[in-house]
């Protein structure tokens, strides 16, 4: 009963390894530059690298840049694109993130506008802490 092995399956496996011409197709998608031993979602940044009461600007793997802020154990993230004309805002100083383009200011605690010309708050991006890393939620 257990000996019901389909010979075709073995042949198919063999033909895979002997098909050298098709190998290039899979090699093309091999992520050679990815982080070794990733073990789950790639972290945006280490929690320890986000200053207490401050924040950092990091690349969003889904595009654009993120402003990540931390208050105690709570980590929040915003799309770092200024809501005026899209310039990446700076990391917060004294709880305020400033756009270098026309000087809009945003409260790091909630993304709200502190000073225009921007009229809309920074867009919230859902993140969570996994281990010692901040990751997209
Ligand atoms: S683009 Fe940020 S203030 Fe104009």
């Amino acid at each position: 009963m257990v000996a019901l092995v389909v010979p075709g399956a073995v042949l198919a496996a063999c033909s895979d390894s002997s098909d050298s011409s098709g190998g290039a197709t899979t090699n093309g998608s091999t992520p050679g530059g990815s982080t070794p031993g990733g073990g789950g979602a790639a972290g945006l940044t280490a929690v320890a690298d986000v200053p207490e009461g401050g924040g950092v600007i990091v690349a969003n793997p889904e595009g654009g840049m993120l402003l990540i802020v931390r208050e105690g154990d709570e980590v929040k993230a915003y799309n770092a694109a200024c809501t005026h004309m899209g310039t990446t805002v700076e990391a917060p100083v004294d709880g305020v993130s400033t756009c270098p383009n026309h000087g809009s200011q945003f409260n790091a605690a909630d993304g709200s506008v502190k000073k225009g010309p921007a009229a809309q708050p920074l867009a919230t991006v859902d993140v969570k802490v996994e281990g010692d890393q901040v990751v997209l939620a």
Side-chain angles (χ1 to χ4, degrees), residues 5-61:
V5 176
V6 180
V10 174
L11 287 175
C14 287
S15 70
D16 258 358
S17 62
S18 65
D19 184 12
S20 59
S21 66
T25 306
T26 52
N27 283 344
S29 63
T30 302
S34 68
T35 306
L44 299 167
T45 185
V47 175
D49 288 343
V50 184
E52 166 74 33
V56 293
I57 303 292
V58 301
N60 183 346

Side-chain angles (χ1 to χ4, degrees), residues 81-89 98-106 115-118:
C82 177
T83 55
H84 180 227
M85 291 179 66
T87 301
T88 300
V89 299
T98 301
C99 175
N101 203 352
H102 308 105
S104 287
Q105 293 185 327
F106 301 89
K115 177 182 159 219

